[in-house]
Amino acid sequence: MKYFARKLGFYVVALWAALTLNFFLPRIMPGDPVDIMVSRLAQKGQVTEATRQAIELLLGADDSVPLWQQYLNYFAQIFRGDLGVSVAYFPTPVATVISETLPWTVGLVGVSTIIAFLLGVTLGTIAGWKRGSWVDNLIPVTTLFQSIPYFWLALILLYVFALQIHAFPLYGGYDVWNVTPGLSWDFVGSVIRYGTLPALTIVISSVGGWMLGMRNMMVTTLSEDYILTAEAKGLSRGRIMRSYAARNAIMPSISGFAISLGFVVAGSVVAESVFSYPGIGFALLTAVQNNDYTLMQGIFLIITISVLGANLLMDLLYGVIDPRTRTQG
């Protein structure tokens, strides 16, 4: 019980530190979101001083409020679910922007990460079990794709499959002209078609790491004494591979998989920017281009929570799977 309480306490402190950093970073960065909003409104008409003060209050940038009071208000707003108003998507609240874009990112990057993990672990198991086979010889090819810059691989796929073959669309999340969003086969099919190339980019660029890691762990595990004991008992090779070798070799990969799931939100920026995919990564890029500190704070908050949550889940799961970890420290 002390192990779980200690882990929870550590992550609570880590979350507080991340939120504090998230509060101070936009305030020390150059640029003023209030000036950006005032300049936009000035193009449509005269902006009075009262209008500027109203914008400062709306964006939480009122200099008349002491910094410590802004800090307390910031935490109070977070617990109420009030993340402020976006400058880039004004007057849409940040929480609304995140709720509309986050499902796209979770669906695309989350599913792609799961597919890459399962495919890489399966191929890595076979490659480690049958060293020198054609599956083992795939590793240099997969690691080559992993070394190619992410955006470059995406551009190659766009050029071949979208511009030359015309098998997939160039950009977007679905056919906005002919399909209405909703729980219909037309919409689901359109989402799958538009998301295939971004998902393929993520799978190709990440499957090599899972495959190589699993292959190396299989080679190490196959030299253990309990594998020799299982062979001496006359167990089938398939059972030895699944129940003895792969089951023990996969543990480090599971830990890495949990961490990679935590980075699902953060890892979508490049893919979504190249394919103009309407996810949270594209929203973050828009926020950076418009100095939308409020939206950046909200997205960084979601990234922080997802990463810390995934690591906490993995630590607690390890405490259940391996009781020895609860006695350490």
Side-chain angles (χ1 to χ4, degrees), residues 21-60:
L21 185 64
N22 196 27
F23 170 80
F24 283 106
L25 274 180
R27 285 162 174 78
I28 62 177
M29 292 177 63
D32 188 353
V34 176
D35 292 337
I36 297 174
M37 183 59 63
V38 169
S39 63
R40 288 185 178 182
L41 295 178
Q43 296 175 0
K44 302 178 181 179
Q46 186 177 2
V47 179
T48 63
E49 185 63 28
T51 303
R52 181 181 180 85
Q53 292 178 358
I55 294 175
E56 290 178 349
L57 292 174
L58 183 65
L59 299 179

Side-chain angles (χ1 to χ4, degrees), residues 61-325:
D62 189 2
D63 294 334
S64 63
V65 179
L67 187 61
W68 65 268
Q69 186 66 45
Q70 295 181 31
Y71 182 72
L72 295 178
N73 293 338
Y74 168 73
F75 275 89
Q77 289 176 343
I78 287 178
F79 287 116
R80 293 198 307 266
D82 180 12
L83 302 178
V85 178
S86 171
V87 173
Y89 297 90
F90 186 83
T92 307
V94 170
T96 302
V97 175
I98 293 177
S99 64
E100 292 177 352
T101 57
L102 185 59
W104 290 94
T105 296
V106 173
L108 172 65
V109 187
V111 172
S112 302
T113 301
I114 294 174
I115 293 175
F117 171 76
L118 295 177
L119 183 61
V121 165
T122 302
L123 293 177
T125 300
I126 299 174
W129 183 256
K130 297 181 178 180
R131 280 170 286 178
S133 63
W134 67 271
V135 180
D136 195 16
N137 293 329
L138 283 178
I139 292 181
V141 179
T142 57
T143 52
L144 173 64
F145 282 118
Q146 189 177 17
S147 64
I148 297 176
Y150 202 72
F151 69 92
W152 186 245
L153 179 61
L155 291 175
I156 293 175
L157 293 178
L158 273 177
Y159 177 77
V160 174
F161 293 102
L163 285 177
Q164 297 298 319
I165 303 178
H166 302 288
F168 299 100
L170 276 171
Y171 58 88
Y174 67 98
D175 188 355
V176 297
W177 305 107
N178 302 313
V179 177
T180 302
L183 295 178
S184 63
W185 288 113
D186 291 338
F187 177 70
V188 174
S190 181
V191 169
I192 293 175
R193 183 168 179 266
Y194 275 73
T196 300
L197 277 187
L200 190 61
T201 303
I202 296 172
V203 172
I204 292 176
S205 62
S206 58
V207 69
W210 298 117
M211 185 176 177
L212 180 61
M214 187 63 185
R215 189 260 186 196
N216 292 339
M217 286 303 303
M218 280 290 294
V219 172
T220 302
T221 304
L222 289 176
S223 63
E224 296 292 338
D225 293 338
Y226 57 83
I227 300 295
L228 297 176
T229 303
E231 292 175 347
K233 288 182 177 179
L235 299 179
S236 65
R237 291 181 59 83
R239 183 179 178 184
I240 295 174
M241 182 184 71
R242 294 189 304 270
S243 302
Y244 289 83
R247 185 175 181 179
N248 290 279
I250 201 175
M251 292 303 295
S253 296
I254 292 179
S255 178
F257 177 65
I259 297 175
S260 66
L261 283 182
F263 281 97
V264 161
V265 177
S268 63
V269 178
V270 177
E272 293 180 1
S273 61
V274 173
F275 293 97
S276 297
Y277 198 79
I280 200 170
F282 189 74
L284 178 59
L285 180 64
T286 304
V288 173
Q289 292 173 343
N290 292 273
N291 291 338
D292 189 352
Y293 297 145
T294 308
L295 181 55
M296 282 189 280
Q297 275 187 311
I299 295 177
F300 291 154
L301 174 64
I302 299 300
I303 294 174
T304 300
I305 293 176
S306 61
V307 172
L308 290 178
N311 281 273
L312 173 61
L313 181 62
M314 197 64 250
D315 280 345
L316 297 180
L317 184 60
Y318 259 110
V320 174
I321 296 176
D322 190 355
R324 293 174 299 176
T325 59

